[in-house]
Amino acid sequence: MEIESSRTAPSRSAAGPSRIAHLRDRADALVRVGWPRREAEWLALVCRHSGVFLRSQYLAFIGRTNPALAHRFVRRCRQYAVEEPCAGSRLRVCRIASRTLHELLGAEHARHRRLASPEVVLRRLLSLDYILEHPHAAWLPTDDEKVNAMTAAGIAREVLPCRLYRGALDGLFRYFPHNLPVAADDERATFVFVLVEDETESAVRRWGLQHAALWTALAAAGRTVEVVVVGRDPVRLAAAGRVVDRWTREPVAPAAEREETAARLCEQARREEELESIRAALVAGNSSALRRYGDVNGALARMRELATAETAGTVRAKPAITTGRTWRSRRVPEGWLTRAA
């Protein structure tokens, strides 16, 4: 599989200062308070997708090479951003930490503005670098936007990748917990996996299994499914590319069979979600969440019923996609990774 990569030199054609559809309203909010259009779009892009950026990425966006332009821009952002060394290296990452700026963009609760581990910072920078090269795709920056786009396409919530967080009394399901880029329109859905240097292709396989049911449902709904693995290490990207290639070679079932499989996966996911909710309520001692089952004994009986149904009719979707490729970032420098040197 050929490894595509970001341009080593900035280019106006890569992103440029033109209006980006999924950020238009957000950028307008910053223009109204005095930001130039080009800078407003950049701030909206960063705040919505990563919260952090490198000076080289800003220069690529504006299509210039003069480092002084990035220096001046970072200085103008001092009220809203901090530039910090990452992982004890000489690399400096600019983080937009201002709640005020995020509020103007309608994202005051965004996790991006908070301090994060070096591993998370690297994933966000690599995600931004890919989006920077493909800014006009129909990106879905937030979990809610991803869920809404999928349900609007006729996809049941139950097949969306999710994770149960047990901090709430009866548990909280968070959809698309990987916090990775997703784009979707009426014809295509694109899923990006960021492969950092402390991971192998097995991480790609696990991620694919977690999305397999969704991809099956999208195929049944007539959408093409594209997967892009983004990283910096060409050896790891080549190994990940072989995994993705296998997904593209999965046999395509007839439309009726795909719809039946999607329906069975949806029903199975509903059972798994209910089972996890009961477990969380029992652990938390949340009697109100168990009231629908009568009492604790009723909840335990329902758990046994769900477990029996799972054993009898488990369906395991294999990752199957329409197209897949890898993409190598050259703007996020190698040599720093995840831990302080």
Side-chain angles (χ1 to χ4, degrees):
M1 173 180 287
E2 181 181 355
I3 298 178
E4 298 184 24
S5 65
S6 57
R7 297 168 175 82
T8 54
S11 167
R12 283 187 189 275
S13 62
S18 60
R19 292 169 70 88
I20 299 173
H22 81 282
L23 297 173
R24 187 168 299 145
D25 293 341
R26 311 292 183 182
D28 287 346
L30 298 184
V31 170
R32 286 194 292 270
V33 296
W35 286 94
R37 164 64 56 181
R38 178 168 58 180
E39 295 180 358
E41 281 208 335
W42 173 248
L43 289 170
L45 185 73
V46 172
C47 287
R48 298 293 284 174
H49 289 284
S50 65
V52 293
F53 68 92
L54 302 175
R55 294 187 180 195
S56 60
Q57 292 175 322
Y58 171 72
L59 289 174
F61 181 79
I62 65 173
R64 304 291 289 275
T65 59
N66 186 351
L69 296 175
H71 176 72
R72 286 200 291 267
F73 174 72
V74 170
R75 284 183 61 84
R76 284 198 298 276
C77 291
R78 282 183 302 179
Q79 182 180 351
Y80 306 100
V82 292
E83 198 171 30
E84 305 161 322
C86 191
S89 73
R90 297 177 64 184
L91 180 71
R92 297 185 68 80
V93 177
C94 191
R95 176 170 60 90
I96 302 176
S98 167
R99 186 183 183 94
T100 300
L101 193 62
H102 281 84
E103 284 176 346
L104 286 170
L105 294 165
E108 60 269 28
H109 301 299
R111 294 184 298 275
H112 294 325
R113 69 184 183 84
R114 304 186 185 115
L115 282 170
S117 68
E119 294 90 342
V120 172
V121 169
L122 175 57
R123 285 189 177 85
R124 291 177 180 174
L125 288 173
L126 289 169
S127 296
L128 177 65
D129 215 37
Y130 182 77
I131 292 169
L132 176 58
E133 203 77 13
H134 305 83
H136 299 292
W139 295 110
L140 306 167
T142 67
D143 297 346
D144 286 344
E145 287 172 274
K146 293 170 186 174
V147 171
N148 291 340
M150 297 302 155
T151 54
I155 308 302
R157 283 175 176 262
E158 288 78 8
V159 299
L160 303 181
C162 69
R163 183 177 300 159
L164 176 65
Y165 292 84
R166 298 183 184 275
L169 285 177
D170 56 351
L172 173 66
F173 283 96
R174 179 184 160 200
Y175 295 99
F176 294 96
H178 305 88
N179 202 28
L180 291 169
V182 175
D185 56 30
D186 292 340
E187 298 179 353
R188 175 189 298 267
T190 300
F191 297 84
V192 176
F193 181 82
V194 176
L195 183 69
V196 295
E197 286 86 337
D198 61 349
E199 294 177 322
T200 65
E201 65 271 20
S202 62
V204 182
R205 284 194 289 268
R206 287 194 301 272
W207 174 78
L209 287 170
Q210 291 162 351
H211 286 75
L214 170 57
W215 295 343
T216 298
L218 283 167
R223 300 296 200 280
T224 60
V225 177
E226 177 188 44
V227 165
V228 184
V229 179
V230 171
R232 300 183 298 178
D233 184 339
V235 175
R236 292 177 187 270
L237 282 176
R242 291 190 287 272
V243 174
V244 172
D245 275 342
R246 286 194 290 273
W247 295 347
T248 65
R249 295 196 295 269
E250 281 294 321
V252 179
E257 185 178 332
R258 292 200 302 268
E259 292 173 4
E260 180 183 354
T261 301
R264 292 178 64 191
L265 287 167
C266 181
E267 181 56 35
Q268 178 177 298
R270 286 194 187 102
R271 293 195 299 266
E272 292 172 351
E273 186 171 318
E274 184 180 357
L275 194 58
E276 284 298 314
S277 294
I278 296 173
R279 288 193 185 114
L282 287 170
V283 169
N286 185 0
S287 57
S288 62
L290 300 175
R291 196 168 295 141
R292 58 183 291 198
Y293 305 104
D295 54 19
V296 171
N297 289 332
L300 292 172
R302 178 58 176 164
M303 287 182 70
R304 288 192 293 271
E305 179 184 335
L306 291 168
T308 300
E310 285 294 292
T311 303
T314 298
V315 181
R316 292 299 175 208
K318 292 183 179 180
I321 61 176
T322 313
T323 61
R325 57 194 173 90
T326 59
W327 187 88
R328 184 183 179 190
S329 170
R330 296 184 183 276
R331 279 187 290 262
V332 180
E334 298 184 53
W336 75 284
L337 171 59
T338 55
R339 297 173 180 83

